[in-house]
Amino acid sequence: MMKRVLMLALVGAFSVGMLSGCNTMAGAGKDMQKAGEKVEDKAQDCKDGKC
């Protein structure tokens, strides 16, 4: 009985960790995308001679 409870607790903790990890990676991806857009905008400005 105790093994089963411990195993369920471990599976639950692992699942929560995986789900929060996905949210973290999605957020990091969005941040990187915004940074990339700013770099592209600056590169376009420099290409147009507004650097």
Side-chain angles (χ1 to χ4, degrees), residues 17-50:
M18 290 300 292
L19 289 174
S20 65
C22 289
N23 285 335
T24 301
M25 290 307 292
K30 287 179 184 177
D31 290 343
M32 290 175 61
Q33 184 176 12
K34 286 181 184 177
E37 288 172 358
K38 295 211 181 277
V39 169
E40 283 182 9
D41 291 345
K42 186 64 175 176
Q44 188 62 38
D45 287 346
C46 287
K47 183 179 174 183
D48 294 338
K50 300 177 186 175

Side-chain angles (χ1 to χ4, degrees), residues 1-14:
M1 180 70 175
M2 192 61 149
K3 275 186 169 182
R4 186 174 182 181
V5 171
L6 181 59
M7 191 57 118
L8 286 174
L10 287 174
V11 168
F14 180 75

